[in-house]
């Protein structure tokens, strides 16, 4: 059971993020860490490989400046190896461009039975890359997995919905996005941390992937960030006088938020 | 946190949490290990430690979680141990003690006091039998050297081991202030024999062994402290540590543990400084945060400077230890200075937090009370001072 997990290395959310005024994108020159939302996919992959009694978990990532610190975290958790795409031409790549790059990188991994992703990254939030990867690779795609099981050549997924979950299945290989919080990611063990530094990171650029640099990055972007505005200040809440129907209004309010 | 020249700090800017940019002195691997322990402490220790402290308990289940991470005997090679560098061990101790000195004490005792002597002085059979299970946290160990009447002068110990004609050993005596004693499955006990000091591996279910808990402590409350009572405890020769014949044995264990303490104390100090910094920026008096007052800023700066100096000292000693050139007197330097500075920081931080500083809602008084024990155990401040005095004068002031 060979599993590819797409992981992103993002600026540490614990430190205040900043936008580059020229590019209007997130500054990514500080310390990068493994996106927490990806740690669930890594954990899921390790559990599935374990349950299958063997196989490798391979990471695929795209990051500036040959950044590997987030990859080392996932390698220390137990992933076997990694493909890292790093190329100055990738600066400014949008969601579709990212999917093209990751799909090309996934093709470098031989014998991948299953590709796992997060549902969205914690810094970009487009939430579109997993399905784009599936389309580019011509593979079936299941989103929002809360649990995954392998049965022969089929992946069976409990797909989280607002009301509960759907039971879905697809033939392997397939792309499945994993909902954050559905498994408890393991801590990297010290033995894992020490082993991680000698695990292979296959670093490639656009040329190695056979990708035209003009089709990605700022050059290939299908979108332009025109302006960035500060978030509006929080507005005062609505005050409801209880005329005997207050409880109904509370229920309606909560229902509207989809929390009940 | 960055070395990029474009990001040089401007006048009036500085990272309050790593002012001297000490992070760049650590390898990527060391940082990942440090961050992992910090996260573990944040997830598993900080949410509950005030309750443990108030109740006077430490959850025994923590042993297996610590074992799974690799914390137990982490600096030892083989036998299921992680085999990290001394600096990595130090960083782990720092992060653990930023949680609570009790958690760090648990790891120090298991790894440096119980596992280390078996690893260093034990037979191959003893290592195979005990170390893997101790590394996994399945077996908890303790270390019996100090006695009710034998503290800084351990060679005055009264616990005896007498050899019977049949070859068995009979141990009698009592040990005091033993961390993990009542929850331990095995005790490494030091005793006087006709041929000198010897070390024994004592399974705690051996008849004649008991470990009553010491109550009414006001320090290290999130840690189990016990007495060990040895009443005609019969042990086979196979449970004696074969490779140790003098006080140098137990003293070498303490030297290992002190190395962890000189790192750990910085963690306790850092936690107090960070609590005071955060509190002082939010606490408003006379219409302004108290962090804007000159007297408070002086306290915060003195704390920050001491945390950074202590970290640099610990890292320097750690690098020396990894290069195999750290002397025990240099360990005394670190233990003496870093613990007293941590205690100074804790007391200063307590004053910044005012009345809130005395509650378990904040970590400060917990650390402050803990550090009173850390100041004294594993060689008192006074003894380490005299070790250093002897080292620079050549004159022994102990007796």
């Amino acid at each position: 059971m060979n599993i590819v997990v797409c992981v992103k290395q993002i600026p540490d959310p614990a430190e205040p993020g900043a936008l580059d005024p020229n590019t209007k994108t997130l500054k990514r020159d500080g310390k990068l860490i493994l996106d927490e939302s990806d740690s669930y996919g890594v954990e899921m992959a390790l559990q599935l490989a374990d349950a299958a009694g063997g196989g490798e978990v391979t990471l695929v990532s795209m990051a500036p400046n040959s950044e590997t610190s987030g990859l080392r975290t996932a390698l220390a958790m137990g992933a076997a190896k990694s493909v890292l795409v790093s190329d100055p031409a990738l600066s400014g790549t949008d969601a579709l461009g990212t999917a093209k790059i990751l799909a090309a990188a996934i093709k470098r991994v031989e014998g991948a039975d299953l590709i796992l992703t997060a549902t969205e990254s914690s810094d970009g939030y487009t939430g579109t890359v997993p399905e784009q990867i599936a389309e580019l690779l011509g593979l079936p795609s299941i989103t929002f997995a809360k649990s995954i099981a392998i049965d022969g050549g089929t992946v069976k997924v409990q797909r989280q919905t607002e009301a509960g979950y759907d039971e879905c299945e697809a033939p392997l290989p397939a792309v499945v996005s994993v909902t954050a919080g559905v498994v408890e990611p393991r801590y990297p063990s010290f033995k894992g941390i020490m082993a991680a530094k000698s695990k292979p990171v296959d670093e490639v650029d656009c040329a190695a992937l056979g990708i035209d640099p003009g089709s990605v990055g700022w050059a290939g972007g299908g979108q332009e960030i025109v302006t960035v505005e500060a978030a509006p200040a929080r507005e005062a809440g609505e005050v409801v006088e209880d005329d005997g129907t207050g409880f109904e209004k509370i229920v309606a309010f909560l229902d509207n938020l989809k929390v009940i | 946190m960055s070395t990029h020249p474009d990001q040089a700090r401007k006048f009036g800017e500085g990272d309050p949490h790593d002012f001297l940019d000490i992070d760049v002195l650590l390898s990527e691997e060391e940082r990942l290990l440090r961050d992992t322990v910090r996260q573990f402490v944040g997830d598993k220790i900080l949410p509950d430690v005030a309750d443990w402290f108030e109740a006077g308990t430490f959850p025994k289940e923590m042993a297996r979680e610590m074992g799974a991470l690799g914390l137990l005997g982490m600096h030892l090679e083989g036998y299921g141990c992680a085999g990290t560098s001394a600096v990595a061990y130090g960083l782990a101790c720092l992060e653990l003690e930023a949680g609570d000195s009790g958690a760090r004490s648990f790891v120090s005792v298991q790894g440096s006091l119980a596992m280390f002597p078996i690893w260093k002085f034990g037979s191959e059979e003893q290592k195979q039998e005990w170390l893997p299970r101790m590394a996994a946290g399945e077996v908890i160990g303790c270390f019996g050297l100090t006695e009710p009447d034998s503290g800084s002068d351990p060679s005055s110990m009264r616990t005896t081991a007498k050899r019977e004609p049949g070859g068995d050993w009979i141990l009698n005596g009592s040990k005091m202030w033993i961390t993990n004693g009542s929850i331990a499955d095995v005790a490494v006990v030091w005793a006087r024999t006709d041929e000198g000091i010897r070390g024994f591996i004592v399974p705690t279910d051996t008849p004649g062994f008991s470990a009553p808990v010491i109550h009414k402590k006001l320090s290290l409350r999130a840690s189990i402290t016990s007495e060990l009572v040895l009443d005609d405890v019969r042990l086979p020769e196979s449970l004696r540590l074969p490779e140790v014949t003098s006080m140098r044995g137990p003293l070498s264990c303490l030297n290992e543990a002190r190395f962890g303490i000189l790192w750990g104390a910085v963690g306790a100090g850092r936690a107090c400084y960070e609590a005071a910094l955060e509190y002082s920026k939010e606490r408003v008096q006379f219409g302004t945060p108290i962090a804007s007052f000159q007297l408070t800023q002086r306290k915060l700066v003195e704390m920050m400077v001491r945390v950074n100096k202590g970290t640099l000292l610990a890292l320097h000693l750690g690098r020396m230890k990894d290069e195999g050139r750290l002397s025990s007197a240099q360990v005394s330097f670190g233990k003496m200075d870093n613990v007293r500075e941590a205690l100074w920081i804790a007391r200063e931080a307590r004053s910044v937090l005012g009345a809130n500083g005395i509650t378990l809602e904040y970590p400060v008084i917990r650390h402050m009370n803990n550090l009173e024990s850390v100041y004294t155990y594993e060689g008192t401040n006074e003894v380490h001072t005299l070790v250093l005095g002897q080292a620079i004068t050549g004159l022994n002031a102990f007796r």
Side-chain angles (χ1 to χ4, degrees):
Chain A
M1 185 75 199
N2 292 316
I3 305 171
V4 169
V5 188
C6 297
V7 298
K8 188 169 184 183
Q9 304 174 91
I10 65 168
D12 189 344
E15 293 174 16
L19 291 177
D20 184 324
N22 298 321
T23 65
K24 303 185 185 65
T25 56
L26 191 64
K27 280 189 180 173
R28 297 170 63 84
D29 47 6
K31 179 187 173 192
L32 299 184
I33 64 166
L34 178 69
D35 188 345
E36 191 212 341
S37 69
D38 290 327
S39 62
Y40 305 100
V42 174
E43 176 63 35
M44 190 77 93
L46 293 169
Q47 289 183 13
L48 288 170
D50 242 15
E56 277 187 343
V57 175
T58 305
L59 309 168
V60 167
S61 187
M62 166 177 139
N65 309 324
S66 306
E67 178 67 47
T68 59
S69 57
L71 291 178
R72 294 288 170 207
T73 303
L75 291 169
M77 287 172 73
K81 61 188 198 298
S82 178
V83 180
L84 171 66
V85 189
S86 199
D87 191 322
L90 295 175
S91 174
T93 300
D94 61 10
L96 181 57
T98 302
K100 287 180 192 167
I101 297 287
L102 293 178
I106 290 164
K107 284 187 195 163
R108 285 176 73 86
V109 183
E110 283 177 21
D113 300 302
L114 179 66
I115 294 114
L116 297 184
T117 69
T119 54
E120 60 185 0
S121 63
S122 302
D123 63 343
Y125 285 116
T126 69
T128 55
V129 171
E131 300 73 41
Q132 292 170 337
I133 291 173
E135 177 62 24
L136 290 166
L137 292 174
L139 297 178
S141 159
I142 302 177
T143 52
F144 297 102
K146 70 191 282 279
S147 89
I148 302 175
I150 304 298
D151 184 3
T154 304
V155 57
K156 296 187 168 178
V157 173
Q158 292 183 351
R159 180 181 184 278
Q160 200 149 18
T161 65
E162 282 173 7
Y165 63 88
D166 298 333
E167 291 188 349
C168 308
E169 55 182 69
L172 293 174
V175 179
V176 179
S177 71
V178 178
T179 306
V182 297
V183 284
E184 188 178 346
R186 66 195 66 188
Y187 297 103
S189 74
F190 295 172
K191 283 181 193 171
I193 289 170
M194 291 194 296
K197 68 180 167 194
S198 53
K199 288 181 175 175
V201 175
D202 173 24
E203 188 181 331
V204 292
D205 56 13
C206 288
L209 293 178
I211 287 180
D212 171 13
S215 71
V216 291
W218 292 114
Q223 63 186 28
E224 185 185 351
I225 303 166
V226 180
T227 179
V228 176
E229 303 287 341
R234 199 162 140 190
E235 292 172 15
E238 182 190 355
V239 178
V240 176
E241 295 282 342
D242 183 13
D243 57 2
T245 62
F247 69 99
E248 288 174 1
K249 286 174 178 156
I250 291 172
V251 170
F253 177 78
L254 294 175
D255 192 45
N256 193 37
L257 288 178
K258 298 193 168 79
V259 294
I260 53 173
Chain B
M1 297 281 278
S2 171
T3 54
H4 198 272
D6 293 343
Q7 290 200 315
R9 300 273 177 196
K10 296 189 184 72
F11 179 77
E13 288 181 352
D15 182 348
H17 302 292
D18 183 19
F19 196 84
L20 295 180
D21 214 359
I22 297 170
D23 231 40
V24 302
L25 300 178
L26 303 178
S27 70
E28 185 180 50
E29 181 180 304
E30 287 164 345
R31 284 197 290 267
L32 178 53
L33 190 141
R34 187 265 320 265
D35 292 347
T36 301
V37 181
R38 188 179 290 184
Q39 191 187 346
F40 176 83
V41 169
D43 294 345
K44 306 281 182 177
I45 292 177
L46 286 177
D48 298 316
V49 68
D51 291 335
W52 300 340
F53 191 96
E54 187 157 57
T57 58
F58 181 79
K60 195 177 171 182
E61 314 81 74
M62 193 59 65
R64 282 173 193 262
E65 298 200 41
M66 288 175 161
L69 199 58
L71 276 166
L72 306 177
M74 63 184 279
H75 56 311
L76 306 178
E77 283 283 348
Y79 307 99
C81 304
T84 68
S85 66
V87 167
Y89 174 56
L91 289 165
C93 287
L94 190 154
E95 294 301 330
L96 283 167
E97 195 149 357
D100 192 81
S101 301
R104 201 269 307 138
S105 294
F106 183 92
V107 168
S108 289
V109 167
Q110 179 82 353
S112 289
L113 295 182
M115 294 174 70
F116 178 78
I118 297 173
W119 181 82
K120 178 98 174 167
F121 307 118
S123 67
E124 186 57 33
E125 294 73 27
Q126 290 169 342
K127 293 177 194 183
Q128 298 279 3
E129 178 173 359
W130 296 101
L131 292 178
R133 288 186 293 151
M134 293 176 84
E138 292 163 14
V139 166
I140 296 175
C142 68
F143 177 86
L145 176 66
T146 298
E147 299 186 356
D149 297 319
S150 172
S152 293
D153 181 14
S155 55
S156 67
M157 73 167 65
R158 293 181 191 160
T159 298
T160 57
K162 296 219 182 305
R163 191 99 194 246
E164 286 211 323
D168 284 355
W169 293 88
I170 307 295
L171 274 64
N172 277 291
S174 66
K175 299 289 180 182
M176 196 65 176
W177 310 118
I178 308 304
T179 299
N180 297 350
S182 324
I183 56 171
D185 304 292
V186 63
V188 172
V189 172
W190 302 92
R192 176 180 302 287
T193 73
D194 292 341
E195 291 90 38
I197 301 295
R198 295 286 187 274
F200 296 87
I201 301 171
V202 186
T204 55
D205 58 2
T206 310
F209 180 96
S210 59
V213 175
I214 296 173
H215 294 287
K216 299 182 179 170
K217 284 187 304 173
L218 291 177
S219 175
L220 286 181
R221 288 185 54 77
S223 173
I224 308 296
T225 314
S226 315
E227 189 182 349
L228 305 185
V229 179
L230 301 142
D231 182 13
D232 283 336
V233 171
R234 175 181 293 271
L235 297 174
E237 167 68 6
S238 63
L239 286 176
R240 186 178 67 82
L241 295 171
E243 306 296 332
V244 57
T245 54
S246 71
M247 276 305 294
R248 294 179 68 87
L251 294 183
S252 69
C253 302
L254 292 172
N255 208 44
E256 288 293 305
R258 282 170 199 144
F259 174 77
I261 292 169
L262 71 88
W263 282 85
V266 183
R270 186 189 77 193
C272 292
Y273 156 64
E274 289 182 342
L277 179 66
E278 189 180 345
Y279 184 87
S280 65
K281 291 199 291 188
E282 286 168 7
R283 172 74 172 177
V284 173
Q285 289 291 281
F286 304 104
T288 183
I290 63 171
S292 69
F293 298 144
Q294 292 184 3
L295 290 176
T296 306
Q297 289 203 356
R298 172 160 200 132
K299 292 176 187 177
L300 295 171
V301 168
E302 291 286 354
M303 286 186 249
M304 183 276 286
V305 167
R306 280 166 165 83
V307 170
N308 277 266
K309 285 200 297 190
T311 309
L312 281 177
L313 170 59
L315 185 56
H316 176 65
L317 296 178
R319 296 286 184 228
M320 288 175 75
K321 186 166 168 61
D322 278 327
E323 291 162 13
R325 57 190 183 91
L326 181 65
S327 73
S328 61
Q330 288 164 333
V331 173
S332 289
F333 183 123
K335 200 274 178 179
M336 182 198 80
D337 197 52
N338 278 5
V339 177
R340 75 173 172 185
E341 293 287 41
L343 193 51
W344 187 94
I345 292 166
R347 289 170 176 159
E348 209 69 3
R350 211 291 305 152
S351 77
V352 173
L353 270 74
N356 284 311
I358 69 161
T359 77
L360 286 172
E361 296 298 315
Y362 294 88
V364 174
I365 193 113
R366 181 166 51 75
H367 284 300
M368 184 170 132
N369 278 14
N370 284 340
L371 286 165
E372 290 290 348
S373 293
V374 180
Y375 188 75
T376 288
Y377 75 16
E378 311 284 341
T380 63
N381 173 273
E382 293 79 359
V383 164
H384 286 302
T385 303
L386 297 185
V387 167
L388 293 173
Q390 182 180 11
I392 60 174
T393 65
L395 303 170
N396 180 353
F398 288 96
R399 53 181 85 87

